[in-house]
Amino acid sequence: MKTISTAKSHGGVQGVYSHASEACACDMTFAVFVPPQAQNGPCPVVWYLSGLTCTHQNVMDKGEYRRLAAELGLIVVCPDTSPRGESIPDEKDNWQFGCGAGFYLDATQAPFSANYRMYSYITEELPALIAKEFPADMTRQAIFGHSMGGHGALTIALKNPERFRSCSAFAPITRPMVAGWSKPAFEKYLGSDEATWRAYDAVALIEDGRRFSEFLVDQGSADGFLEDGLRPWLLEEVCRSADIPLELNMREGYDHSYFFISTFMDDHLRWHAERLAR
Amino acid sequence: MKTISTAKSHGGVQGVYSHASEACACDMTFAVFVPPQAQNGPCPVVWYLSGLTCTHQNVMDKGEYRRLAAELGLIVVCPDTSPRGESIPDEKDNWQFGCGAGFYLDATQAPFSANYRMYSYITEELPALIAKEFPADMTRQAIFGHSMGGHGALTIALKNPERFRSCSAFAPITRPMVAGWSKPAFEKYLGSDEATWRAYDAVALIEDGRRFSEFLVDQGSADGFLEDGLRPWLLEEVCRSADIPLELNMREGYDHSYFFISTFMDDHLRWHAERLAR
C-alpha cells in the first residue's frame, strides 16, 4: 500500500492510499478517515460507496463526514467506483458504463471480466487490506452509499448480512436491472441472461430470499433521477412483503447532489454508530 | 444578476450567481448560502474570502459551513478571488499573480488597473448587489477568510471597522508586502512605491493607526507556508503594541488545506454569530 496524502482533520487523519489490486488487475486508489479514538484501540469501520462518475474524492471533499465520525470514533473507508487506467476497457463518452461505473459487480463478459470485479474488490480484497493496514475493528462494520453506491451498499449487505451490522443509502438505485441508466451496463458486464443480473439487484435479491435486519434510506423529492432511475417505492414494496424494516425518508426539495448527502450525513452516521455499539 | 445554480442544503439554499461587474469590468461569479431563517426576515451576512488559486467553489464544496450557518441563521457570501476571462490580463503559469490572485486590492498599474479592483468589488459593488437581491441584514456583517483571503478579511475590516462587527482568519497572510509570494504581486498591481502598499497590509495598517475591535486567527503548525508566507507572530506583535485583542490559536499538526479550515469552521461561525447578535 502506498500513501498518496494524509492531512489532519477534526483531530483524526484523512488519508488517500493506492495499491496494486489483484481483483481489478490495476492500481486502485481509496480514501480512509481514521478518527482520534484509534489511538486508544481499533475502531469500527463504515464503508461509503460512491455513485456514477465519482472517485474516492467526491465524498472526501463534499460529504462532510469527518466532524461526526471523529466524534463517534468511526473509521470511514471511501473506495473508488471502478478500475481505472489506460489499459482498462472503457467507453469514454458514456458516464453510465466503464470507468466510474463499476456497479459493484463482478463482470463475467470479456473484455470487462478481467478488471471490472468491484464486488470481489469491495467484499474481499479491500477489507483484507484495511484489516492489515489500519486500526480497524473488522467485527464491527457498517455500509452505506449514494445512488449507484446505494445500490452497492444494499446488495452487498443483503449478500453478507453476517458481516454488516447496519446498512443505509442516500438516493439508491433500488432496481438496477430494469432502470434505464443501469440495464445496458448489466448487459455488457453480465451478458444477456437476466437471471444472472438478479445477484446484483436489491429488489430481486429480496424476492429471491435474501434478508437484512433493516434499512435506512433518504431520498430527495427534487431528485431528477427519482422517477426513472431510483424508484425507492420498489424497495419499499419488496421490504414490506419480506418484513424487512425500512425507514424511507422523502426529503422535500432536495436533489441528487452532495448538498443533499451532506445535509443528512449526520443522521446516517449516528444511525450506524448506534447499531455498531450494540 | 443571473442564477447559475441553486440546491437545497441543510434546510437553506446554496446558490451560485453571476453578474456583470463594473468594478472588475467582467462577469463575476459568487456563491451565497441563505439559511432557512431568512423565510422569517433578513439575516446577518458573513463574508468568506478565499485564498490563492481558489474560486467561489472551493469553500462551497469543502468548507463545511452550511450545517452551522443554517443553525445560526447566517447568510454566507463567498466571492471569487479575482476577475476572470479571456480578456483579463494574466500570467497563466504564475499561481501567485493574476487570475485567482487578486489580493483584494485595487490595482493602479496598467494593464491590471482596468480589472483587478477586488477591493472596490468586495467593499462596494458586491455588497450593494447582496443588499438588493438577498434577504440580508446589512447592518449586521462579519468577515473572514483563508490565507490570501485572511489578508483580505483583516485589511478590509481594519479599513471599514464601522461596517463589520467581527473579523477572523484561517492561516492569513499577515504581512503581504514583504512575504515572498505576495510582494511581486503588490509591485505589479501597485507599482514600485512601497508606501502605497501599506493600505493593503494588515501589519502596516495597524502601524499606521487603523484599529479593529478584536481578531480571531487559527493557524496550523504543520502549514508549509507558515514560516515564509504567513508569520502570524507579526500580527501578534503589532496587535499587542496597538492593544488590539487577538486570539491566535496554533493548531498542532494541521496544514494549509480545507481539511484544516473545515475542522475549525464551526468555531469561527460561532464566534461571528455571538458578535453579530450583540
Side-chain angles (χ1 to χ4, degrees), chain B residues 147-178:
Chain B
S147 195
M148 177 183 75
H151 136 73
L154 294 170
T155 54
I156 288 171
L158 283 163
K159 293 163 84 168
N160 301 275
E162 72 297 340
R163 184 185 303 183
F164 298 101
R165 299 212 188 170
S166 52
C167 173
S168 75
F170 302 104
I173 307 177
T174 62
R175 193 93 174 93
M177 61 185 282
V178 299

PDB file of all heavy atoms in Angstrom, chain B residues 147-178:
ATOM      1  N   SER B 147      -5.894  32.445   4.220  1.00  0.00           N
ATOM      2  CA  SER B 147      -4.637  32.706   3.531  1.00  0.00           C
ATOM      3  C   SER B 147      -4.677  34.089   2.858  1.00  0.00           C
ATOM      4  O   SER B 147      -4.816  35.090   3.557  1.00  0.00           O
ATOM      5  CB  SER B 147      -4.358  31.566   2.534  1.00  0.00           C
ATOM      6  OG  SER B 147      -3.028  31.599   2.102  1.00  0.00           O
ATOM      7  N   MET B 148      -4.614  34.174   1.512  1.00  0.00           N
ATOM      8  CA  MET B 148      -4.778  35.483   0.858  1.00  0.00           C
ATOM      9  C   MET B 148      -6.116  36.103   1.248  1.00  0.00           C
ATOM     10  O   MET B 148      -6.234  37.327   1.378  1.00  0.00           O
ATOM     11  CB  MET B 148      -4.691  35.317  -0.660  1.00  0.00           C
ATOM     12  CG  MET B 148      -4.928  36.594  -1.443  1.00  0.00           C
ATOM     13  SD  MET B 148      -4.911  36.349  -3.245  1.00  0.00           S
ATOM     14  CE  MET B 148      -6.516  35.561  -3.522  1.00  0.00           C
ATOM     15  N   GLY B 149      -7.134  35.274   1.458  1.00  0.00           N
ATOM     16  CA  GLY B 149      -8.445  35.775   1.875  1.00  0.00           C
ATOM     17  C   GLY B 149      -8.466  36.181   3.345  1.00  0.00           C
ATOM     18  O   GLY B 149      -9.284  37.010   3.751  1.00  0.00           O
ATOM     19  N   GLY B 150      -7.582  35.594   4.150  1.00  0.00           N
ATOM     20  CA  GLY B 150      -7.417  36.059   5.529  1.00  0.00           C
ATOM     21  C   GLY B 150      -6.816  37.450   5.534  1.00  0.00           C
ATOM     22  O   GLY B 150      -7.264  38.337   6.276  1.00  0.00           O
ATOM     23  N   HIS B 151      -5.809  37.648   4.672  1.00  0.00           N
ATOM     24  CA  HIS B 151      -5.256  39.002   4.462  1.00  0.00           C
ATOM     25  C   HIS B 151      -6.364  39.953   4.027  1.00  0.00           C
ATOM     26  O   HIS B 151      -6.484  41.070   4.555  1.00  0.00           O
ATOM     27  CB  HIS B 151      -4.125  38.933   3.414  1.00  0.00           C
ATOM     28  CG  HIS B 151      -4.141  40.009   2.380  1.00  0.00           C
ATOM     29  ND1 HIS B 151      -3.778  41.305   2.663  1.00  0.00           N
ATOM     30  CD2 HIS B 151      -4.509  39.994   1.067  1.00  0.00           C
ATOM     31  CE1 HIS B 151      -3.904  42.047   1.560  1.00  0.00           C
ATOM     32  NE2 HIS B 151      -4.348  41.268   0.586  1.00  0.00           N
ATOM     33  N   GLY B 152      -7.209  39.509   3.101  1.00  0.00           N
ATOM     34  CA  GLY B 152      -8.305  40.358   2.647  1.00  0.00           C
ATOM     35  C   GLY B 152      -9.248  40.719   3.779  1.00  0.00           C
ATOM     36  O   GLY B 152      -9.625  41.878   3.948  1.00  0.00           O
ATOM     37  N   ALA B 153      -9.612  39.721   4.583  1.00  0.00           N
ATOM     38  CA  ALA B 153     -10.541  39.970   5.686  1.00  0.00           C
ATOM     39  C   ALA B 153      -9.948  40.950   6.704  1.00  0.00           C
ATOM     40  O   ALA B 153     -10.623  41.901   7.127  1.00  0.00           O
ATOM     41  CB  ALA B 153     -10.897  38.646   6.363  1.00  0.00           C
ATOM     42  N   LEU B 154      -8.697  40.734   7.083  1.00  0.00           N
ATOM     43  CA  LEU B 154      -8.054  41.608   8.077  1.00  0.00           C
ATOM     44  C   LEU B 154      -7.958  43.046   7.570  1.00  0.00           C
ATOM     45  O   LEU B 154      -8.312  43.998   8.278  1.00  0.00           O
ATOM     46  CB  LEU B 154      -6.641  41.095   8.407  1.00  0.00           C
ATOM     47  CG  LEU B 154      -6.530  39.739   9.122  1.00  0.00           C
ATOM     48  CD1 LEU B 154      -5.075  39.263   9.139  1.00  0.00           C
ATOM     49  CD2 LEU B 154      -7.077  39.828  10.556  1.00  0.00           C
ATOM     50  N   THR B 155      -7.514  43.207   6.331  1.00  0.00           N
ATOM     51  CA  THR B 155      -7.306  44.572   5.826  1.00  0.00           C
ATOM     52  C   THR B 155      -8.642  45.276   5.576  1.00  0.00           C
ATOM     53  O   THR B 155      -8.777  46.471   5.875  1.00  0.00           O
ATOM     54  CB  THR B 155      -6.476  44.547   4.520  1.00  0.00           C
ATOM     55  OG1 THR B 155      -7.095  43.677   3.558  1.00  0.00           O
ATOM     56  CG2 THR B 155      -5.056  44.064   4.783  1.00  0.00           C
ATOM     57  N   ILE B 156      -9.609  44.537   5.064  1.00  0.00           N
ATOM     58  CA  ILE B 156     -10.914  45.158   4.797  1.00  0.00           C
ATOM     59  C   ILE B 156     -11.601  45.530   6.114  1.00  0.00           C
ATOM     60  O   ILE B 156     -12.228  46.594   6.221  1.00  0.00           O
ATOM     61  CB  ILE B 156     -11.781  44.224   3.934  1.00  0.00           C
ATOM     62  CG1 ILE B 156     -11.227  44.209   2.498  1.00  0.00           C
ATOM     63  CG2 ILE B 156     -13.249  44.651   3.954  1.00  0.00           C
ATOM     64  CD1 ILE B 156     -11.854  43.174   1.579  1.00  0.00           C
ATOM     65  N   ALA B 157     -11.462  44.700   7.153  1.00  0.00           N
ATOM     66  CA  ALA B 157     -12.043  45.043   8.459  1.00  0.00           C
ATOM     67  C   ALA B 157     -11.335  46.264   9.052  1.00  0.00           C
ATOM     68  O   ALA B 157     -11.993  47.175   9.582  1.00  0.00           O
ATOM     69  CB  ALA B 157     -11.929  43.848   9.408  1.00  0.00           C
ATOM     70  N   LEU B 158     -10.023  46.308   8.950  1.00  0.00           N
ATOM     71  CA  LEU B 158      -9.269  47.441   9.518  1.00  0.00           C
ATOM     72  C   LEU B 158      -9.635  48.756   8.829  1.00  0.00           C
ATOM     73  O   LEU B 158      -9.633  49.819   9.457  1.00  0.00           O
ATOM     74  CB  LEU B 158      -7.760  47.203   9.386  1.00  0.00           C
ATOM     75  CG  LEU B 158      -7.166  46.209  10.392  1.00  0.00           C
ATOM     76  CD1 LEU B 158      -5.794  45.719   9.932  1.00  0.00           C
ATOM     77  CD2 LEU B 158      -7.076  46.846  11.791  1.00  0.00           C
ATOM     78  N   LYS B 159      -9.986  48.677   7.540  1.00  0.00           N
ATOM     79  CA  LYS B 159     -10.320  49.899   6.798  1.00  0.00           C
ATOM     80  C   LYS B 159     -11.807  50.241   6.863  1.00  0.00           C
ATOM     81  O   LYS B 159     -12.203  51.332   6.438  1.00  0.00           O
ATOM     82  CB  LYS B 159      -9.867  49.757   5.341  1.00  0.00           C
ATOM     83  CG  LYS B 159      -8.339  49.708   5.237  1.00  0.00           C
ATOM     84  CD  LYS B 159      -7.871  49.177   3.901  1.00  0.00           C
ATOM     85  CE  LYS B 159      -7.841  50.264   2.844  1.00  0.00           C
ATOM     86  NZ  LYS B 159      -7.109  49.772   1.633  1.00  0.00           N
ATOM     87  N   ASN B 160     -12.611  49.292   7.374  1.00  0.00           N
ATOM     88  CA  ASN B 160     -14.070  49.515   7.448  1.00  0.00           C
ATOM     89  C   ASN B 160     -14.615  49.006   8.785  1.00  0.00           C
ATOM     90  O   ASN B 160     -15.549  48.201   8.819  1.00  0.00           O
ATOM     91  CB  ASN B 160     -14.763  48.776   6.292  1.00  0.00           C
ATOM     92  CG  ASN B 160     -14.284  49.217   4.925  1.00  0.00           C
ATOM     93  OD1 ASN B 160     -14.782  50.193   4.381  1.00  0.00           O
ATOM     94  ND2 ASN B 160     -13.306  48.510   4.392  1.00  0.00           N
ATOM     95  N   PRO B 161     -14.012  49.497   9.890  1.00  0.00           N
ATOM     96  CA  PRO B 161     -14.392  48.926  11.192  1.00  0.00           C
ATOM     97  C   PRO B 161     -15.847  49.197  11.561  1.00  0.00           C
ATOM     98  O   PRO B 161     -16.428  48.450  12.342  1.00  0.00           O
ATOM     99  CB  PRO B 161     -13.434  49.623  12.166  1.00  0.00           C
ATOM    100  CG  PRO B 161     -13.033  50.883  11.481  1.00  0.00           C
ATOM    101  CD  PRO B 161     -13.016  50.566  10.020  1.00  0.00           C
ATOM    102  N   GLU B 162     -16.444  50.230  10.996  1.00  0.00           N
ATOM    103  CA  GLU B 162     -17.835  50.555  11.297  1.00  0.00           C
ATOM    104  C   GLU B 162     -18.806  49.579  10.631  1.00  0.00           C
ATOM    105  O   GLU B 162     -19.950  49.465  11.035  1.00  0.00           O
ATOM    106  CB  GLU B 162     -18.141  51.992  10.858  1.00  0.00           C
ATOM    107  CG  GLU B 162     -18.237  52.227   9.355  1.00  0.00           C
ATOM    108  CD  GLU B 162     -16.951  51.967   8.554  1.00  0.00           C
ATOM    109  OE1 GLU B 162     -15.843  51.953   9.152  1.00  0.00           O
ATOM    110  OE2 GLU B 162     -17.044  51.753   7.327  1.00  0.00           O
ATOM    111  N   ARG B 163     -18.339  48.880   9.611  1.00  0.00           N
ATOM    112  CA  ARG B 163     -19.230  48.001   8.859  1.00  0.00           C
ATOM    113  C   ARG B 163     -19.281  46.580   9.416  1.00  0.00           C
ATOM    114  O   ARG B 163     -20.309  45.915   9.331  1.00  0.00           O
ATOM    115  CB  ARG B 163     -18.802  47.938   7.400  1.00  0.00           C
ATOM    116  CG  ARG B 163     -19.773  47.101   6.569  1.00  0.00           C
ATOM    117  CD  ARG B 163     -19.329  46.919   5.135  1.00  0.00           C
ATOM    118  NE  ARG B 163     -19.132  48.209   4.459  1.00  0.00           N
ATOM    119  CZ  ARG B 163     -18.796  48.308   3.180  1.00  0.00           C
ATOM    120  NH1 ARG B 163     -18.618  47.210   2.455  1.00  0.00           N
ATOM    121  NH2 ARG B 163     -18.618  49.498   2.636  1.00  0.00           N
ATOM    122  N   PHE B 164     -18.142  46.099   9.949  1.00  0.00           N
ATOM    123  CA  PHE B 164     -18.052  44.701  10.357  1.00  0.00           C
ATOM    124  C   PHE B 164     -18.028  44.569  11.876  1.00  0.00           C
ATOM    125  O   PHE B 164     -17.209  45.195  12.544  1.00  0.00           O
ATOM    126  CB  PHE B 164     -16.808  44.050   9.741  1.00  0.00           C
ATOM    127  CG  PHE B 164     -16.843  44.043   8.239  1.00  0.00           C
ATOM    128  CD1 PHE B 164     -16.115  44.975   7.504  1.00  0.00           C
ATOM    129  CD2 PHE B 164     -17.641  43.128   7.555  1.00  0.00           C
ATOM    130  CE1 PHE B 164     -16.165  44.987   6.117  1.00  0.00           C
ATOM    131  CE2 PHE B 164     -17.699  43.131   6.166  1.00  0.00           C
ATOM    132  CZ  PHE B 164     -16.960  44.073   5.446  1.00  0.00           C
ATOM    133  N   ARG B 165     -18.901  43.703  12.382  1.00  0.00           N
ATOM    134  CA  ARG B 165     -18.933  43.504  13.828  1.00  0.00           C
ATOM    135  C   ARG B 165     -17.852  42.547  14.279  1.00  0.00           C
ATOM    136  O   ARG B 165     -17.534  42.482  15.465  1.00  0.00           O
ATOM    137  CB  ARG B 165     -20.286  42.949  14.236  1.00  0.00           C
ATOM    138  CG  ARG B 165     -21.408  43.912  13.866  1.00  0.00           C
ATOM    139  CD  ARG B 165     -22.522  43.834  14.851  1.00  0.00           C
ATOM    140  NE  ARG B 165     -23.654  44.608  14.384  1.00  0.00           N
ATOM    141  CZ  ARG B 165     -24.843  44.572  14.948  1.00  0.00           C
ATOM    142  NH1 ARG B 165     -25.052  43.761  16.003  1.00  0.00           N
ATOM    143  NH2 ARG B 165     -25.823  45.304  14.495  1.00  0.00           N
ATOM    144  N   SER B 166     -17.316  41.762  13.353  1.00  0.00           N
ATOM    145  CA  SER B 166     -16.284  40.793  13.727  1.00  0.00           C
ATOM    146  C   SER B 166     -15.461  40.423  12.506  1.00  0.00           C
ATOM    147  O   SER B 166     -15.915  40.550  11.365  1.00  0.00           O
ATOM    148  CB  SER B 166     -16.914  39.545  14.343  1.00  0.00           C
ATOM    149  OG  SER B 166     -17.930  39.036  13.502  1.00  0.00           O
ATOM    150  N   CYS B 167     -14.242  39.966  12.796  1.00  0.00           N
ATOM    151  CA  CYS B 167     -13.305  39.579  11.737  1.00  0.00           C
ATOM    152  C   CYS B 167     -12.445  38.432  12.245  1.00  0.00           C
ATOM    153  O   CYS B 167     -11.934  38.491  13.363  1.00  0.00           O
ATOM    154  CB  CYS B 167     -12.426  40.770  11.349  1.00  0.00           C
ATOM    155  SG  CYS B 167     -11.098  40.340  10.201  1.00  0.00           S
ATOM    156  N   SER B 168     -12.298  37.397  11.423  1.00  0.00           N
ATOM    157  CA  SER B 168     -11.419  36.295  11.802  1.00  0.00           C
ATOM    158  C   SER B 168     -10.714  35.767  10.568  1.00  0.00           C
ATOM    159  O   SER B 168     -11.035  36.154   9.443  1.00  0.00           O
ATOM    160  CB  SER B 168     -12.213  35.178  12.481  1.00  0.00           C
ATOM    161  OG  SER B 168     -12.966  34.436  11.530  1.00  0.00           O
ATOM    162  N   ALA B 169      -9.740  34.890  10.786  1.00  0.00           N
ATOM    163  CA  ALA B 169      -8.992  34.369   9.639  1.00  0.00           C
ATOM    164  C   ALA B 169      -8.424  32.997   9.938  1.00  0.00           C
ATOM    165  O   ALA B 169      -8.044  32.693  11.071  1.00  0.00           O
ATOM    166  CB  ALA B 169      -7.879  35.324   9.244  1.00  0.00           C
ATOM    167  N   PHE B 170      -8.373  32.166   8.886  1.00  0.00           N
ATOM    168  CA  PHE B 170      -7.640  30.898   8.912  1.00  0.00           C
ATOM    169  C   PHE B 170      -6.308  31.135   8.194  1.00  0.00           C
ATOM    170  O   PHE B 170      -6.303  31.497   7.012  1.00  0.00           O
ATOM    171  CB  PHE B 170      -8.399  29.812   8.148  1.00  0.00           C
ATOM    172  CG  PHE B 170      -9.789  29.530   8.639  1.00  0.00           C
ATOM    173  CD1 PHE B 170     -10.894  29.994   7.946  1.00  0.00           C
ATOM    174  CD2 PHE B 170     -10.000  28.793   9.798  1.00  0.00           C
ATOM    175  CE1 PHE B 170     -12.189  29.727   8.382  1.00  0.00           C
ATOM    176  CE2 PHE B 170     -11.291  28.515  10.247  1.00  0.00           C
ATOM    177  CZ  PHE B 170     -12.384  28.991   9.540  1.00  0.00           C
ATOM    178  N   ALA B 171      -5.217  30.933   8.909  1.00  0.00           N
ATOM    179  CA  ALA B 171      -3.887  30.999   8.287  1.00  0.00           C
ATOM    180  C   ALA B 171      -3.719  32.198   7.362  1.00  0.00           C
ATOM    181  O   ALA B 171      -3.371  32.060   6.179  1.00  0.00           O
ATOM    182  CB  ALA B 171      -3.613  29.701   7.518  1.00  0.00           C
ATOM    183  N   PRO B 172      -3.947  33.419   7.875  1.00  0.00           N
ATOM    184  CA  PRO B 172      -3.873  34.599   6.996  1.00  0.00           C
ATOM    185  C   PRO B 172      -2.429  34.980   6.647  1.00  0.00           C
ATOM    186  O   PRO B 172      -1.512  34.751   7.427  1.00  0.00           O
ATOM    187  CB  PRO B 172      -4.501  35.701   7.852  1.00  0.00           C
ATOM    188  CG  PRO B 172      -4.166  35.301   9.265  1.00  0.00           C
ATOM    189  CD  PRO B 172      -4.288  33.781   9.260  1.00  0.00           C
ATOM    190  N   ILE B 173      -2.265  35.558   5.458  1.00  0.00           N
ATOM    191  CA  ILE B 173      -1.024  36.278   5.160  1.00  0.00           C
ATOM    192  C   ILE B 173      -1.093  37.574   5.971  1.00  0.00           C
ATOM    193  O   ILE B 173      -1.999  38.384   5.760  1.00  0.00           O
ATOM    194  CB  ILE B 173      -0.895  36.605   3.662  1.00  0.00           C
ATOM    195  CG1 ILE B 173      -1.069  35.342   2.816  1.00  0.00           C
ATOM    196  CG2 ILE B 173       0.458  37.255   3.377  1.00  0.00           C
ATOM    197  CD1 ILE B 173      -1.018  35.607   1.303  1.00  0.00           C
ATOM    198  N   THR B 174      -0.190  37.761   6.903  1.00  0.00           N
ATOM    199  CA  THR B 174      -0.310  38.905   7.819  1.00  0.00           C
ATOM    200  C   THR B 174       0.456  40.128   7.310  1.00  0.00           C
ATOM    201  O   THR B 174       0.137  41.250   7.656  1.00  0.00           O
ATOM    202  CB  THR B 174       0.257  38.541   9.203  1.00  0.00           C
ATOM    203  OG1 THR B 174       1.646  38.239   9.068  1.00  0.00           O
ATOM    204  CG2 THR B 174      -0.488  37.348   9.792  1.00  0.00           C
ATOM    205  N   ARG B 175       1.480  39.857   6.493  1.00  0.00           N
ATOM    206  CA  ARG B 175       2.379  40.953   6.083  1.00  0.00           C
ATOM    207  C   ARG B 175       2.691  40.768   4.608  1.00  0.00           C
ATOM    208  O   ARG B 175       3.848  40.522   4.222  1.00  0.00           O
ATOM    209  CB  ARG B 175       3.653  40.823   6.949  1.00  0.00           C
ATOM    210  CG  ARG B 175       4.603  41.995   6.941  1.00  0.00           C
ATOM    211  CD  ARG B 175       4.324  42.963   8.059  1.00  0.00           C
ATOM    212  NE  ARG B 175       5.334  44.036   8.154  1.00  0.00           N
ATOM    213  CZ  ARG B 175       5.177  45.222   7.538  1.00  0.00           C
ATOM    214  NH1 ARG B 175       4.132  45.469   6.789  1.00  0.00           N
ATOM    215  NH2 ARG B 175       6.100  46.168   7.708  1.00  0.00           N
ATOM    216  N   PRO B 176       1.662  40.880   3.733  1.00  0.00           N
ATOM    217  CA  PRO B 176       1.863  40.521   2.312  1.00  0.00           C
ATOM    218  C   PRO B 176       2.915  41.365   1.608  1.00  0.00           C
ATOM    219  O   PRO B 176       3.532  40.890   0.662  1.00  0.00           O
ATOM    220  CB  PRO B 176       0.471  40.723   1.703  1.00  0.00           C
ATOM    221  CG  PRO B 176      -0.280  41.573   2.668  1.00  0.00           C
ATOM    222  CD  PRO B 176       0.270  41.251   4.020  1.00  0.00           C
ATOM    223  N   MET B 177       3.144  42.618   2.051  1.00  0.00           N
ATOM    224  CA  MET B 177       4.088  43.466   1.310  1.00  0.00           C
ATOM    225  C   MET B 177       5.535  43.017   1.447  1.00  0.00           C
ATOM    226  O   MET B 177       6.378  43.448   0.652  1.00  0.00           O
ATOM    227  CB  MET B 177       3.925  44.951   1.668  1.00  0.00           C
ATOM    228  CG  MET B 177       4.167  45.323   3.095  1.00  0.00           C
ATOM    229  SD  MET B 177       3.801  47.101   3.396  1.00  0.00           S
ATOM    230  CE  MET B 177       5.280  47.887   2.709  1.00  0.00           C
ATOM    231  N   VAL B 178       5.814  42.127   2.401  1.00  0.00           N
ATOM    232  CA  VAL B 178       7.181  41.612   2.484  1.00  0.00           C
ATOM    233  C   VAL B 178       7.267  40.098   2.238  1.00  0.00           C
ATOM    234  O   VAL B 178       8.366  39.572   2.052  1.00  0.00           O
ATOM    235  CB  VAL B 178       7.853  41.930   3.850  1.00  0.00           C
ATOM    236  CG1 VAL B 178       7.938  43.433   4.056  1.00  0.00           C
ATOM    237  CG2 VAL B 178       7.116  41.278   5.005  1.00  0.00           C
TER     238      VAL B 178
END
